[in-house]
Amino acid sequence: MRIDAYEDPGTPDRRGGWRYLGWLVRRQWPRCLAGAVLASVWMVLLAATPYLMARAVDHGLEPGDMGALAGWTGAMVAVGGVNAWLGVLRHRTMTKVRMDANFRTVKVVVGHATRLGATLRGQVGTGEVVTIGVGDVQTISTSLTAVGPGVGAIVAYAAVGGLMLSVSTRLALVVLLGVPVLGVLLGPLMGRLQGREAEYRERQSVLTARIGDLAGGLRVLNGLGGKGLVADAFHRDSGRLREQGYRVGAVTSWIQALGVGLPMLFLALVTWLGARQAAQGHISVGELVSVYGYVVALGWPVAFLIEMGHQLSRGVVAARRVVAFLRLEPAPDEGTRDAPAEPSVLHDPASGVRVLPGRLTALVTSHPSDATAVLDRLARYSPSDATWGDIPLTDIPLPQIRTRILVADPEADLFAGTLSTVVGAQEMPSRGAGNCATSHNAPADAEPPPGADEPARLTAALHAAAAEDIVRALPEGLETQVAAQGRDLSGGQRQRIRLARALLTDPEVLLAAEPTSALDAHTEATVADRLKHARQGRTTVLAATSPLLLARADVVHHLVDGKVAATGTHRELLDTEPEYRALVARDAEGATTAEGAEEGEPAR
């Protein structure tokens, strides 16, 4: 059975950590069964070697029968060869079991994150998701060793107990009662480990989120002089996490110490009892040899049983965290009415903004958050009474909205890859953390618009965003590798790449927030001209205060305190609205001062 990293992972059992682990086993039960059988045979054959050795001593060496000695010796060699082969198969099978559990958990977590969409960031922190993906997934997959060596250890332990019954009932009882005694002694520590591990994971996720925030805002902190303050807070939090890690390590060290020491005492007791019985003549020399061999062979299953308990204790903690994440629900989508068949007016009653179809509309406000809130309501990323045509957006199924309305976020994620992949491979007209052009997740059933000639469409999108010079400046053009978040590009280059990616989707309605804020005046003017041409006949809404963009808009809404105060063309508002004129003139002065800034900013 091969591992297909792209197959449907199935529907996970979200009723608890143990049930989730059981689901992972059921999803690959033939492989898990093969691992359990191979591990069981492998460990039983480890115990068979002392049995064969006892026969070689009693029937060959002691009576001087060289033929019998050679026969039993040959049997031991054959069993050893078979067992070595079984050990290889067991290891390969259990590696596949672990990898399947790893891939399957990653897929269900990523798939659920996609289904959560824009609600993800409001329900769980980034650090929590990263901790699940980096640590918990590995812990869960490792815990599945219980289905192989763990089951094999139980079978081998019972088999050794049965073999020792033929030697001495007393010795067999000591062997069979030894593991329950170990479980009683180690059980409380396993429970304590689960509690400490859960608390450690929680603290780790919080600290991971803070690391991400620091990495993204380090320049701002330097500028504000707050780097030292944040560094002190991080130092305190990391110190608490370290202390919690010490507590987890203390419990783990006791488990491992007792896991090594108690079996040795137990096995020493069995050896001592066997030696006494041999000295008293109750068992033969060969049987004494076999008892010692059984004791040595028991080391493997006892060690695996203790390791199984340890890994399961950690695995169920990680599985509970995954289950808690999978229980998160996306925002309810109760829409039953189809979206308008033809381009229609978008209306936001909260602000009074009306977006006419096929027009380039601009939103101007001194508070950018007000314009962003309007865009979110028009795209149904926040609850509102917004309508599309005469239909409330809340009555339209979300996939239909995501297919036709795109919000282009100025801080959208850029994933590592070739430039052509960054711009075009993740093409999807929706807003998502995993999306090429946006910062919120989209439903999995949102489909991109069809395109006949992808290279031509990519070239046209780059042209519309005035990004051809970026391609020419890179050593391998579109095939140049770009770092995650475009760290090796300048701010203006990243903004144009994001705009090109949004234009490539060619949505029916494009809502963009400050798409040219990082560009110099010359490049911004070029983008403004090309954007208007590229979106001719399509509905476009820009939240901006740049006069270069506003001059090309068909309709401009001036917002004051989040509501429309005036509507008209850019020229009309300049002539009739002093507050608008002051706001735009201030932005025009800023653009003049910043001219050439992008060209002067190096591409790191």
Side-chain angles (χ1 to χ4, degrees):
M1 181 184 295
R2 68 188 181 88
I3 298 174
D4 185 356
Y6 301 99
E7 68 178 359
D8 179 14
T11 303
D13 193 329
R14 301 182 298 174
R15 291 176 293 177
W18 287 110
R19 291 182 180 273
Y20 181 82
L21 295 179
W23 172 77
L24 289 176
V25 173
R26 292 193 301 274
R27 290 297 299 179
Q28 49 171 334
W29 70 265
R31 187 183 293 131
C32 291
L33 178 61
V37 170
L38 289 170
S40 299
V41 176
W42 176 68
M43 289 194 186
V44 168
L45 288 181
L46 288 177
T49 300
Y51 175 83
L52 296 173
M53 185 179 296
R55 295 300 176 271
V57 172
D58 287 342
H59 300 291
L61 185 60
E62 191 170 353
D65 187 344
M66 301 306 295
L69 179 61
W72 288 110
T73 302
M76 282 191 291
V77 173
V79 168
V82 171
N83 223 22
W85 176 67
L86 289 175
V88 172
L89 294 181
R90 176 195 63 82
H91 188 272
R92 288 180 178 177
T93 302
M94 293 313 302
T95 298
K96 291 180 180 180
V97 168
R98 290 193 295 271
M99 295 304 294
D100 184 282
N102 192 308
F103 290 144
R104 200 173 299 276
T105 300
V106 167
K107 283 188 288 185
V108 297
V109 168
V110 172
H112 191 65
T114 302
R115 285 189 292 273
L116 287 173
T119 63
L120 174 63
R121 292 184 177 179
Q123 297 191 63
V124 63
T126 303
E128 179 75 7
V129 180
V130 172
T131 302
I132 289 174
V134 174
D136 294 333
V137 169
Q138 184 65 34
T139 302
I140 289 171
S141 61
T142 302
S143 70
L144 292 193
T145 53
V147 303
V151 172
I154 296 173
V155 173
Y157 198 84
V160 170
L163 288 172
M164 293 194 72
L165 278 174
S166 63
V167 178
S168 170
T169 303
R170 180 187 297 178
L171 293 176
L173 289 175
V174 172
V175 169
L176 294 176
L177 293 176
V179 167
V181 171
L182 290 176
V184 170
L185 293 174
L186 293 177
L189 287 175
M190 296 295 185
R192 190 175 182 183
L193 176 63
Q194 288 187 29
R196 293 288 173 84
E197 185 81 17
E199 186 177 350
Y200 178 80
R201 292 292 186 183
E202 292 294 333
R203 290 182 181 271
Q204 188 181 40
S205 65
V206 172
L207 195 63
T208 301
R210 183 159 296 179
I211 291 173
D213 294 341
L214 286 174
L218 195 57
R219 289 185 173 183
V220 177
L221 289 173
N222 279 330
L224 296 175
K227 185 174 68 172
L229 182 64
V230 175
D232 291 339
F234 182 82
H235 180 73
R236 289 192 300 270
D237 290 342
S238 61
R240 296 190 189 102
L241 180 64
R242 183 177 64 250
E243 293 299 325
Q244 185 63 27
Y246 288 156
R247 297 187 185 99
V248 173
V251 179
T252 302
S253 65
W254 274 107
I255 292 175
Q256 292 177 343
L258 294 175
V260 173
L262 290 177
M264 289 300 103
L265 293 175
F266 161 67
L267 298 178
L269 173 62
V270 175
T271 304
W272 179 74
L273 291 174
R276 281 180 57 84
Q277 289 193 336
Q280 294 169 0
H282 297 307
I283 60 175
S284 67
V285 175
E287 288 174 329
L288 175 61
V289 173
S290 68
V291 167
Y292 179 77
Y294 294 147
V295 169
V296 173
L298 277 177
W300 283 97
V302 170
F304 274 122
L305 284 172
I306 294 173
E307 181 66 16
M308 178 185 70
H310 180 213
Q311 294 298 342
L312 283 177
S313 295
R314 301 183 68 235
V316 73
V317 171
R320 286 169 183 163
R321 289 167 55 83
V322 170
V323 166
F325 178 78
L326 296 178
R327 286 175 176 170
L328 300 177
E329 295 295 337
D333 182 15
E334 301 175 353
T336 57
R337 302 174 62 182
D338 288 334
E342 301 296 331
S344 302
V345 174
L346 276 170
H347 179 222
D348 174 37
S351 64
V353 169
R354 294 180 64 86
V355 179
L356 302 178
R359 303 287 187 88
L360 176 58
T361 303
L363 307 180
V364 179
T365 176
S366 58
H367 302 289
S369 60
D370 291 342
T372 301
V374 173
L375 298 184
D376 282 346
R377 292 194 292 268
L378 292 177
R380 206 180 123 185
Y381 283 112
S382 58
S384 72
D385 297 323
T387 59
W388 195 2
D390 295 327
I391 306 173
L393 283 176
T394 53
D395 290 350
I396 302 173
L398 197 57
Q400 293 189 29
I401 297 175
R402 295 292 177 264
T403 301
R404 298 170 62 182
I405 300 178
L406 167 67
V407 177
D409 194 310
E411 298 299 325
D413 292 329
L414 294 173
F415 300 121
T418 63
L419 182 61
S420 61
T421 301
V422 170
V423 175
Q426 300 293 329
E427 177 184 340
M428 183 183 296
S430 57
R431 187 175 182 173
N435 186 323
C436 62
T438 58
S439 65
H440 293 297
N441 282 313
D445 52 354
E447 294 294 332
D453 188 349
E454 294 301 320
R457 293 178 60 236
L458 178 60
T459 300
L462 290 169
H463 174 77
E468 308 104 308
D469 64 310
I470 301 175
V471 179
R472 291 193 298 267
L474 296 175
E476 299 179 36
L478 286 171
E479 298 308 309
T480 302
Q481 289 289 327
V482 176
Q485 304 301 340
R487 290 190 300 271
D488 46 0
L489 301 175
S490 69
Q493 289 173 332
R494 288 193 295 271
Q495 192 167 57
R496 285 182 285 161
I497 291 300
R498 291 186 179 105
L499 179 59
R501 193 170 53 180
L503 293 172
L504 181 63
T505 66
D506 194 25
E508 178 182 326
V509 179
L510 174 63
L511 312 176
E514 298 291 348
T516 60
S517 58
L519 306 183
D520 64 86
H522 173 74
T523 306
E524 187 177 27
T526 302
V527 171
D529 286 332
R530 295 180 181 179
L531 177 62
K532 183 175 178 62
H533 176 75
R535 295 290 299 171
Q536 189 70 36
R538 312 284 272 175
T539 305
T540 306
V541 182
L542 304 178
T545 55
S546 167
L548 295 173
L549 288 176
L550 300 176
R552 292 157 177 82
D554 299 311
V555 179
V556 178
H557 294 297
H558 179 213
L559 305 181
V560 177
D561 296 328
K563 297 185 180 297
V564 175
T567 299
T569 65
H570 174 58
R571 177 52 58 187
E572 292 171 348
L573 294 179
L574 283 177
D575 293 339
T576 60
E577 296 293 325
E579 188 175 347
Y580 175 86
R581 183 168 57 250
L583 175 62
V584 172
R586 181 186 64 191
D587 193 78
E589 292 174 2
T592 303
T593 304
E595 185 169 359
E598 182 191 16
E599 285 73 9
E601 182 180 354
R604 295 178 300 279

